[in-house]
Amino acid sequence: MLRMLKKPVHEFLRLYRTVAYVRLGVLGMGLGLLSGCAAILFFLGIEAGKHYIQVVWAGLSLPAPAGETLFGHAESAARIYRPWVIVAALGITGLVTGWLVQRFLPNSLDGMTDGTDAMIRAFHAEKGVIRRRAPLLKGLTSICTIAAGGSAGREGPVSQIGAGIGSWLSMRLGLSPRERRILMLAGAAGGLGAVFRAPLGGALTAIEVLYREDFESEALLPAVLSSVVSYSLFTFVFGTAPIFGIPRFSFTSVLELPWYLLLSLACTATGWAYVRTFRVLKYSVFGKLRARVGIMWTTALGGVLMGLFGILYPPVLSDGYGWIEQAILGQLPVVTMVTILLGKTLATAVTLGSGMSGGMFAPALFVGGMTGGVVGFAAQEIQPNVVTQPGGYVLVGMAAFFAGIAHAPIGPLVMVCELTQGYGLLAPLMLSSAVCILLGRRTALYENQVENKFESPAHLQDATVNLLATMRVRDCYTRGRVAVVEENVTLKALTDIIAGTQAFTFPVRGMHGRLNGLLAVQDVRGILYEADLFDLVLAGDLARPLTALTEDDDLYTALLAFVETDLSQLPVVSKDNEEQVLGLLERSDLFRAYSESLKALREDQ
């Protein structure tokens, strides 16, 4: 039995060592286990904190979605109303968060939106390296912020935690920066897929948010494997029920398309207001305040202001998924949805703009869902025979809104399909997401997103190599007769040959008629006019090993040859007859061809 198992095990180990996608797939599954455990602990911490702080101690009665009632519905808890608890809890959380950030992560506020944006920056600018303390501190402070009522989401922090685990594991294994970046995305996908209970949507979102017009295709396999494993572990503990307890929706009439186009316009407008409000409060208000009084007191003030706002208008507290479910089920009036989306926009800007921890993902879904709900239920009032399921507009609004501000067309769309457990809304989801992306091109939620792979420092080397690899030597070398030197030619005769040509490199032929070396002018310059050596030194004595190219070689191969030999010219020989010299490739010709191709590529873009 052991002998039968020995061969498959050896074959697997060989594939693991030699085939990159096998190795990354295995490590992706391992990351799924780790990020799944982290997501379970993170989710438990938030739900327990919300129950004790908001329900038991503050006495609030807030709706919870059907899939997230771990500690029972708020209405069943015996409570005494103490609103000051929310203000105190958020104020203390802000104070502690500010002290921790000031002490350990002083550069984590400016230039980043949330944990997802921190992951994006680490991918592009920091070779996939995330400091171990960052996910831990941001995770703990995010639990406290959301549990106390701060308007923030859990998806951003848990993606940063998963990315941090991927970065740590890859460094422990001594992997390359490329593999480290991929495993960082796989860890983030595991966290997203678990807490949102959408394995495919989580994986696609993790590899999409890096770019505005691209995605990281190399990370798809390990991201999917990580997300599936993490999701399976998470649902094993908490069950497979989706977050929202809602009916299935379907798109039944083409006459609804104008309303979905109107929804796209509305989501584009509220998306711009959402991002703009956050930027203004973060940089123009809290940024200036932070420069005067310091990080700790600024985040403490943000916590107090959020607490006071939450007491005055409880729907803006925490992630607000319970309110989204009510909107989908048609239990909120249109006026209420308008006030909630405006309040949530301001509350999120105060919470995260002041420097407290959390993610922008869930609040974005909240605002987008309420925007869609306003359009859907208003449309039903106008055309009740056409718009028969206005709750579906809430779901489409969630995906379209986030797709527009995060420039992620596929991930949010798939997430909504997974949440609804069907593809009944696929057509309006695709239409609305595409329109929001087109109209919201200048609105960007994440500050560290880049346009595409060509703009990312992570792919500078790949872009150069790939471009050179697409071009061939035959397209840019100089064809013609090349002076070939016999190895028994004396230095005196060699002097006449060099003087009679413009070439700097000469192939050397041996006595059997085969090319066996290269003679470079730079190698003989020191003795070229030593008359005493004219009849003593032969060309074969001065030649270096032969380096030649063929017409079918790509320019990246040629570039490596130029680097290794430090020559300005290399001979090009026939592929069928290596003794036949067809011409010379100049190093300057290679660079000129690369420059022209790069210029043409940029013009096409």
Side-chain angles (χ1 to χ4, degrees), residues 17 95 134 153 192 198 208 231 234 253 259 265 270 276-277 304 312 330 385 424 431 445 493 584 587:
R17 290 191 298 267
L95 194 69
L192 280 174
E208 270 191 318
Y231 164 80
F234 192 88
S253 174
W259 291 111
L265 295 174
T270 53
R276 181 62 179 167
T277 302
V304 171
L312 295 173
N385 295 328
L431 173 66
L445 176 63
L584 290 172
R587 185 165 52 189

Side-chain angles (χ1 to χ4, degrees), residues 200-212:
L200 182 56
L204 293 175
T205 301
I207 65 175
E208 270 191 318
V209 295
L210 300 169
Y211 309 103
R212 294 187 181 95

Side-chain angles (χ1 to χ4, degrees), residues 147-278:
S151 179
R154 55 182 181 243
E155 291 79 10
V158 82
S159 66
Q160 186 179 15
I161 292 171
I165 294 173
S167 177
W168 167 81
L169 180 63
S170 61
M171 287 190 287
R172 289 295 300 269
L173 296 176
L175 301 181
S176 66
R178 171 183 168 274
E179 292 177 317
R180 184 163 60 240
R181 288 183 171 104
I182 291 175
L183 290 184
M184 187 187 71
L185 295 181
L192 280 174
V195 298
F196 219 90
R197 304 181 200 186
L200 182 56
L204 293 175
T205 301
I207 65 175
E208 270 191 318
V209 295
L210 300 169
Y211 309 103
R212 294 187 181 95
E213 294 183 353
D214 212 333
F215 67 97
E216 196 62 32
S217 56
E218 291 182 309
L220 181 59
L221 175 63
V224 168
L225 292 174
S226 173
S227 186
V228 169
V229 172
S230 182
Y231 164 80
S232 301
L233 185 61
F234 192 88
T235 54
F236 177 79
V237 176
F238 299 113
T240 58
I243 295 176
F244 303 119
I246 54 177
R248 293 198 176 189
F249 295 95
S250 60
F251 173 66
T252 58
S253 174
V254 71
L255 297 177
E256 285 190 88
L257 289 180
W259 291 111
Y260 281 112
L261 288 174
L262 180 61
L263 180 149
S264 303
L265 295 174
C267 285
T268 301
T270 53
W272 177 87
Y274 179 80
V275 174
R276 181 62 179 167
T277 302
F278 172 73

